[in-house]
Amino acid sequence: MIRISSSSRSMASRTSITSRKQRIQNRNLVSLSSLDLWNRRNENTLNKSSDALLKSCSIRSHSSFISSSRQSFLFHEKSKQRIQQLPLRNTTLTTRNFTSSSILHSSQEIAEIHRLTHIRNVGVFAHVDAGKTTVTERMLALAGIVHRAGSVDTGNTVTDYLPQERERGITIQSAAISFNWHWHNSSLFKEEKSSDFNDEVVMHLIDTPGHVDFSVEVNRSVAVLDGAVLVVDAVAGVQAQTETVWRAMTRPSFNNHDTGLEKKRGDAHGHEPLPCIAFVNKMDKEGCNFGYALSTLKYKLQGANPVALQVPLFQVGQSKLDQESSLPKNIVAVPASDLKMNTLSHGTFVGVIDLIEMRAIVWPDVNASTVNDVEECIPSIYNLLSDEYQDSQVKDVAIQARQDLVASLADVDEAMEEYFLMEEDPTNNEIRTSLRTATLNRKILPVMTGAALRGKGVEPLLDAMADLLPSPLNRDAPALMNHDENYIQAKKAKKKNYSKDLIPFGHPLHPSLLALAFKVVHMKNRGGSGDGRVVFARVYSGKISSRDSVKVISPLLPGEKPEKARIERVGGMLELAGGRFDNLPEATCYSGDVCALVGLKDVTTGDTILLASNEKGKKKKSSKKTSANDSKYEASTGDECLAGVGAPKPVLTVRVEAENAEQESKLMDALRLMMAEDPSLMVEETGSATLLSGLGELHIEVVVDRLQREHGLAVWIGKPSVAYRETVQSEIDTGGLVEYDRTVGSTRMQAQVHIRLEPMETEASSDVSILTDPDVKLGSKVKEYLGFDEDDDELELSQRCEVAKALIAGCKGALKRGPLGSFELANIRCYVEEIDSEGGLTGLKAMPGTIRAAVSSIVATTLQNNKDSCSLLEPTMSVEVSAPSEMVGTVLSDLTARRGNVGEVIMGDDDALHSKALIHGQVPLKEILGYANNLRSITGGEGSFSAEYKGHSPCDSI
């Protein structure tokens, strides 16, 4: 996991390294003036006193962790002698997309670039109980939003404000809050140069749930964020939900229905994965291991390249830490390479080594009553390059760890590769710039550490969020699709030119409004609409103000006719402050920001918000003259919309009934409001009952609790049932045209259809597969019969031809009920190879219901006649069980009896008191309903578990 220096590399690579060095040296003999300037700059750097450095590194309460005006220094004396060989390097980072290109900007646009550069839209993600809400609360206290950091245990946190959250001690719904943080290194990363070194970055922070039952909150938060902080438990490392949120952050699209339009429009409109910083929390906990947590990030998170920016410091002994002038000698550093913690048998976490600045940061010992007061937790800073630490173990570990950091950067950055191969030491600013570039390109995962509950390590994390995570300018414009059903014909007649020289619609510098409604909540006496609806929106481009008229467009689903755009009026805006929503009179939200809108009556999650305008007046204006400024921007048709927000499919269903008939209508009204808030919640009314489906037991439990608290409804809940699915195991073919001939009344319905069914290749882990909705494809003969080209896709055909739409709808309708248990089919592809009718195409066009009924009947009959080729699928959960080491055998036996597959068992430390083991495995959801009570029973109350939906796996019977 830890990379080695060039002197430790194998002999096989030394020849290439030597030749590479020679090429670098030849290239460096270019400009004497540049070399002289480089020499003078580094001579001045080396002559700076360490006292000045320490003075500039003081920490101010409620404000910031000072890292600006810091000196760049080299930590090997021999580097001074080799400076002659190094070229002058440019450390300015160019922001992406049109901020420094050939497009010229006005003074107003330059000010807008400055504003956008100082915005960070960041989400905090983690497995449940990893401490992300505690990290968030500490950030708010350091930024001065609250006087004292709230506590999950006492239930006084800002972001967990729902009664259900405070009672259970978990985050149930995402909460947004904004605050300012001093950006000390802004002069290094800004495009424009200024003398203002007191810049502040605006943090729009979203605290997300860590429980799998509320993963829809993660999905919609990822859709509107620019960066992420991944909190990891220092003892457990990467856990089940950690992998889930990582997949959500790194997948290329946030919508469940890939329209393919993103690829056609080019990469400039694609939705990018999120750059991320990992924070290893709970270093004060017994059994913490920074190296182990780092290794789990590397081996469990696909595509992650963790790079440690810090080394944890531990104090051996019980002496109290005061504001001392020198680093106490009983403090030792534990490198990430020490996976078994051999360096330290016991000790207390007290601080970290900053590998960029080569300094030790040590927080004071404070008791539980004052730890939430940031005034009492100001750390001490120690310059490790001072002569007094010449033979210090902490300094030796820091030097090696910094070399490992440079080696890791050398793999992804050519400038760092030159330093590494030449065995030179880059300046601090060059390392910081390289880290930012690599983080934005997702080539590395910077890793920091701390103990947020003890007030340690959060200040450097805030600095890293400002330095390393992207601003809206560093992100591509979001993926767009066109809402107009006639768009496809227009596109074929005339291809739109998306020039790279134009600022695309949706880019933060574009003047036209584009916003995404990513969350809807209902608050009594808050929203301007009758039900108190409040809409949280991310503004990608343009601006939105109170009393603006907006056009609301719902995302177009495949095969569905687009809904008509609605015109609504923004009644006002609310302040983003966790659970406190204060009115903001005359408010305006600009591009790159997140806002809470009231007064929008029909907006739901995933809707696109555009500014409503008078098209006639717009045409009159444009007909007069097109300004040079307007020519820089890509034109908007006014019908573009975002792809929306995907929601996971429910896996658990219960029957819900009101106490009496009078409350039935109130129950349905309340459930409709909740479905508008939570897209993962589904309600189905049958003739005899109301079925409520969700993502798990806790999800259903919270919904029922909200019905009682917020709506005053006492409901009865039936026994839960899991969501089974059916699929085909092998190809099924009708072998040719099959005739359908029925007479309904006086109307004859006749058609012939040839279909073929086959299993779909899906992302699978062993026998567990991710569910995918059935896909219907029309064969070349069918397209020719309908008079279309073979290249036309099914989405286009369904919008242009009623017969094609009827074919697709008939197939999907038949696949809603399988032959084994009347469950929906999944992971199946249905090919309509050929169709025919006695009345020809004209007859089918006159009555498209004929072909719909024919294909539906033939698909259902074909499946019924081939039951042996079908199989049942049941939801399977990935579980992590924590139990005392001496009870592992009992827990394993119980899991095996529940049809579970045990993956790995991590035994606790035998020398530690109350050591616990971790058991990972996969168990069918049906078998772990109510498992928490059983686990507590067999472990004497000491066992706990968490579970996340892994996928569906084959089962023999229900």
Side-chain angles (χ1 to χ4, degrees):
M1 177 171 55
I2 301 300
R3 304 183 187 279
I4 59 175
S5 63
S6 61
S7 59
S8 303
R9 295 222 172 170
S10 63
M11 292 298 296
S13 62
R14 288 185 181 274
T15 303
S16 61
I17 291 177
T18 303
S19 60
R20 176 73 172 141
K21 285 182 181 180
Q22 188 62 45
R23 289 197 299 271
I24 293 173
Q25 290 173 350
N26 294 337
R27 190 177 67 194
N28 289 341
L29 301 176
V30 177
S31 171
L32 291 175
S33 60
S34 295
L35 293 175
D36 292 339
L37 179 60
W38 178 266
N39 292 339
R40 288 196 300 270
R41 187 184 73 175
N42 285 279
E43 287 289 346
N44 293 334
T45 299
L46 291 172
N47 291 333
K48 298 261 185 174
S49 65
S50 60
D51 294 337
L53 172 69
L54 295 178
K55 185 177 180 180
S56 68
C57 293
S58 62
I59 291 186
R60 293 181 289 192
S61 62
H62 289 299
S63 173
S64 55
F65 190 76
I66 303 300
S67 57
S68 60
S69 303
R70 294 169 179 163
Q71 302 178 35
S72 302
F73 44 73
L74 306 175
F75 58 90
H76 284 307
E77 184 63 28
K78 63 180 182 179
S79 298
K80 181 178 178 181
Q81 303 170 2
R82 294 178 178 173
I83 290 295
Q84 307 286 342
Q85 303 174 9
L86 299 181
L88 179 64
R89 289 175 171 81
N90 178 20
T91 59
T92 303
L93 181 68
T94 303
T95 56
R96 188 186 303 181
N97 289 348
F98 316 105
T99 59
S100 60
S101 65
S102 58
I103 295 180
L104 299 178
H105 296 286
S106 64
S107 58
Q108 184 177 0
E109 289 171 327
I110 292 176
E112 181 68 2
I113 292 173
H114 178 88
R115 181 189 69 83
L116 289 166
T117 305
H118 291 71
I119 293 177
R120 300 290 182 272
N121 294 306
V122 182
V124 184
F125 302 90
H127 183 86
V128 63
D129 291 334
K132 57 181 173 36
T133 300
T134 305
V135 172
T136 302
E137 288 296 317
R138 196 73 195 178
M139 290 179 179
L140 299 181
L142 291 168
I145 300 299
V146 294
H147 180 65
R148 292 172 61 87
S151 171
V152 174
D153 296 331
T154 56
N156 61 345
T157 57
V158 175
T159 53
D160 287 353
Y161 58 88
L162 293 178
Q164 297 92 335
E165 292 178 317
R166 294 185 170 181
E167 289 174 3
R168 291 172 171 81
I170 61 173
T171 303
I172 292 176
Q173 70 175 17
S174 56
I177 191 167
S178 300
F179 59 89
N180 290 354
W181 183 254
H182 191 81
W183 190 10
H184 317 292
N185 299 307
S186 61
S187 59
L188 178 63
F189 301 119
K190 284 191 304 184
E191 279 295 307
E192 72 282 358
K193 301 298 181 182
S194 68
S195 58
D196 182 13
F197 292 100
N198 296 316
D199 293 330
E200 287 192 339
V201 62
V202 180
M203 297 280 187
H204 298 306
L205 200 69
I206 297 182
D207 181 24
T208 64
H211 202 286
V212 64
D213 284 18
F214 311 106
S215 56
V216 67
E217 297 286 343
V218 173
N219 288 7
R220 57 183 169 193
S221 297
V222 167
V224 297
L225 293 172
D226 297 325
V229 173
L230 182 64
V231 181
V232 178
D233 191 301
V235 178
V238 170
Q239 297 170 276
Q241 186 66 3
T242 315
E243 299 181 54
T244 301
V245 298
W246 176 259
R247 287 194 297 269
M249 289 188 292
T250 55
R251 65 178 174 224
S253 179
F254 56 81
N255 57 300
N256 280 347
H257 43 277
D258 183 11
T259 63
L261 294 180
E262 297 88 342
K263 295 181 180 179
K264 294 179 182 180
R265 292 194 60 170
D267 294 338
H269 291 260
H271 177 74
E272 302 171 279
L274 296 182
C276 180
I277 296 174
F279 182 72
V280 179
N281 192 29
K282 297 190 177 183
M283 287 296 294
D284 58 324
K285 192 176 176 182
E286 180 184 348
C288 67
N289 191 322
F290 180 64
Y292 169 74
L294 199 68
S295 66
T296 60
L297 287 169
K298 180 176 181 180
Y299 295 111
K300 290 189 177 183
L301 300 184
Q302 184 178 6
N305 179 22
V307 175
L309 306 188
Q310 297 174 334
V311 174
L313 294 173
F314 291 84
Q315 180 187 26
V316 180
Q318 300 297 324
S319 61
K320 186 174 179 60
L321 288 175
D322 296 318
Q323 296 286 341
E324 301 182 16
S325 58
S326 300
L327 184 68
K329 294 185 178 180
N330 64 337
I331 290 182
V332 297
V334 180
S337 57
D338 191 356
L339 296 179
K340 295 185 178 180
M341 300 283 282
N342 293 324
T343 308
L344 181 72
S345 58
H346 62 280
T348 304
F349 175 76
V350 294
V352 297
I353 298 174
D354 181 354
L355 298 179
I356 300 177
E357 299 291 338
M358 285 297 289
R359 61 186 181 177
I361 307 171
V362 179
W363 280 266
D365 288 333
V366 292
N367 54 42
S369 61
T370 59
V371 69
N372 291 331
D373 188 351
V374 294
E375 296 281 359
E376 302 295 329
C377 300
I378 300 176
S380 301
I381 311 296
Y382 303 98
N383 179 15
L384 296 180
L385 299 183
S386 175
D387 293 338
E388 61 180 308
Y389 304 117
Q390 192 67 34
D391 299 323
S392 169
Q393 182 265 353
V394 173
K395 181 178 181 179
D396 293 340
V397 171
I399 290 175
Q400 182 59 49
R402 178 166 165 134
Q403 289 177 346
D404 294 335
L405 171 60
V406 174
S408 298
L409 290 174
D411 290 340
V412 297
D413 189 310
E414 289 185 1
M416 290 296 108
E417 183 185 24
E418 292 184 13
Y419 280 118
F420 178 75
L421 295 176
M422 298 299 295
E423 298 184 13
E424 303 291 349
D425 302 310
T427 64
N428 300 343
N429 283 346
E430 287 176 316
I431 291 180
R432 189 175 286 109
T433 301
S434 177
L435 281 170
R436 178 173 173 83
T437 304
T439 303
L440 295 186
N441 294 327
R442 299 175 303 280
K443 293 182 178 179
I444 64 168
L445 174 64
V447 183
M448 309 182 77
T449 188
L453 186 63
R454 305 298 176 189
K456 301 173 182 178
V458 181
E459 299 97 326
L461 175 61
L462 280 165
D463 278 342
M465 290 164 61
D467 287 346
L468 305 182
L469 292 182
S471 71
L473 286 174
N474 299 125
R475 304 284 287 167
D476 286 335
L480 294 173
M481 56 192 297
N482 203 292
H483 182 260
D484 185 3
E485 62 178 332
N486 295 319
Y487 166 69
I488 297 172
Q489 293 95 317
K491 181 185 67 173
K492 286 196 169 184
K494 181 180 178 180
K495 289 187 177 179
K496 190 172 181 180
N497 179 26
Y498 297 101
S499 172
K500 293 183 179 180
D501 296 330
L502 296 179
I503 297 178
F505 179 50
H507 188 276
L509 295 179
H510 200 285
S512 299
L513 173 65
L514 176 67
L516 174 68
F518 68 94
K519 184 180 175 67
V520 173
V521 297
H522 295 89
M523 304 178 189
K524 292 182 178 179
N525 304 321
R526 280 296 182 188
S529 59
D531 55 11
R533 182 166 301 194
V534 178
V535 178
F536 290 84
R538 161 72 188 269
V539 180
Y540 288 103
S541 64
K543 65 179 181 180
I544 186 171
S545 304
S546 299
R547 293 189 291 278
D548 275 349
S549 293
V550 296
K551 179 191 291 186
V552 180
I553 302 176
S554 296
L556 177 63
L557 298 176
E560 292 189 5
K561 189 174 182 179
E563 298 180 9
K564 185 178 180 180
R566 292 99 64 195
I567 303 297
E568 298 199 40
R569 188 181 182 88
V570 179
M573 294 189 188
L574 302 180
E575 180 184 6
L576 295 178
R580 190 180 75 249
F581 298 95
D582 298 328
N583 290 311
L584 297 175
E586 304 298 329
T588 298
C589 182
Y590 296 90
S591 62
D593 288 333
V594 178
C595 58
L597 308 174
V598 298
L600 302 177
K601 299 179 181 180
D602 296 321
V603 176
T604 58
T605 300
D607 284 353
T608 301
I609 300 175
L610 306 175
L611 195 63
S613 60
N614 187 335
E615 296 296 333
K616 293 181 180 180
K618 195 173 180 184
K619 290 179 181 178
K620 288 180 180 179
K621 278 187 179 180
S622 62
S623 63
K624 290 182 179 179
K625 188 177 180 181
T626 301
S627 66
N629 192 52
D630 292 338
S631 64
K632 297 188 299 184
Y633 305 112
E634 176 186 281
S636 169
T637 64
D639 287 315
E640 291 99 336
C641 68
L642 297 159
V645 178
K649 295 183 180 298
V651 297
L652 195 68
T653 301
V654 297
R655 180 177 176 177
V656 56
E657 293 181 4
E659 275 190 332
N660 51 62
E662 295 179 359
Q663 292 188 340
E664 281 293 339
S665 60
K666 293 182 180 180
L667 173 62
M668 291 309 304
D669 291 340
L671 289 175
R672 288 189 189 98
L673 291 180
M674 290 187 177
M675 282 193 296
E677 296 180 6
D678 186 354
S680 65
L681 193 67
M682 293 183 62
V683 176
E684 181 183 359
E685 290 186 84
T686 64
S688 59
T690 300
L691 301 180
L692 178 65
S693 300
L695 299 180
E697 289 181 285
L698 182 58
H699 190 197
I700 299 295
E701 182 183 332
V702 169
V703 170
V704 173
D705 187 56
R706 289 187 60 193
L707 287 173
Q708 296 174 344
R709 291 176 186 261
E710 300 174 17
H711 301 277
L713 296 171
V715 297
W716 176 84
I717 299 296
K719 185 179 179 181
S721 60
V722 301
Y724 290 96
R725 292 291 185 269
E726 297 183 35
T727 190
V728 295
Q729 298 174 318
S730 59
E731 182 179 298
I732 302 174
D733 198 322
T734 58
L737 289 170
V738 178
E739 186 172 12
Y740 173 85
D741 195 346
R742 299 286 189 276
T743 300
V744 180
S746 60
T747 304
R748 184 186 178 205
M749 304 174 68
Q750 188 277 334
Q752 294 175 308
V753 183
H754 174 198
I755 65 166
R756 179 169 56 88
L757 303 170
E758 68 177 20
M760 185 186 300
E761 293 182 3
T762 59
E763 179 183 351
S765 174
S766 63
D767 293 332
V768 181
S769 59
I770 304 298
L771 285 186
T772 304
D773 289 335
D775 187 21
V776 180
K777 296 291 184 182
L778 303 184
S780 58
K781 291 183 179 180
V782 175
K783 293 179 181 178
E784 182 181 354
Y785 184 86
L786 297 177
F788 294 105
D789 297 333
E790 187 175 348
D791 297 334
D792 293 338
D793 59 39
E794 282 66 29
L795 176 61
E796 296 181 17
L797 292 177
S798 65
Q799 294 177 354
R800 298 165 59 187
C801 177
E802 288 297 324
V803 177
K805 182 177 180 180
L807 272 171
I808 295 173
C811 289
K812 290 188 174 181
L815 295 174
K816 291 289 185 182
R817 295 174 63 87
L820 300 179
S822 297
F823 302 111
E824 291 185 34
L825 283 98
N827 301 347
I828 181 175
R829 184 170 283 114
C830 178
Y831 291 93
V832 182
E833 300 287 6
E834 190 177 358
I835 63 172
D836 198 5
S837 174
E838 291 180 0
L841 181 59
T842 304
L844 293 178
K845 286 183 176 180
M847 190 182 294
T850 299
I851 195 66
R852 175 170 181 166
V855 72
S856 178
S857 175
I858 293 170
V859 168
T861 304
T862 303
L863 287 172
Q864 195 69 32
N865 295 336
N866 292 272
K867 285 185 178 181
D868 294 340
S869 299
C870 301
S871 63
L872 282 172
L873 299 174
E874 64 177 342
T876 302
M877 310 298 285
S878 175
V879 299
E880 180 182 84
V881 182
S882 174
S885 298
E886 62 272 15
M887 298 180 181
V888 168
T890 305
V891 174
L892 290 177
S893 299
D894 184 64
L895 288 176
T896 303
R898 295 174 183 269
R899 297 189 288 130
N901 294 321
V902 178
E904 63 175 344
V905 179
I906 304 174
M907 300 300 296
D909 188 356
D910 295 335
D911 297 332
L913 194 61
H914 304 299
S915 66
K916 288 190 176 183
L918 289 177
I919 303 169
H920 296 95
Q922 296 177 1
V923 185
L925 173 60
K926 180 181 178 180
E927 302 292 342
I928 59 171
L929 295 177
Y931 179 60
N933 293 332
N934 182 268
L935 180 63
R936 283 193 292 266
S937 175
I938 64 177
T939 59
E942 296 187 45
S944 61
F945 88 104
S946 62
E948 68 152 343
Y949 171 69
K950 186 73 174 179
H952 272 61
S953 58
C955 65
D956 296 331
S957 60
I958 300 176

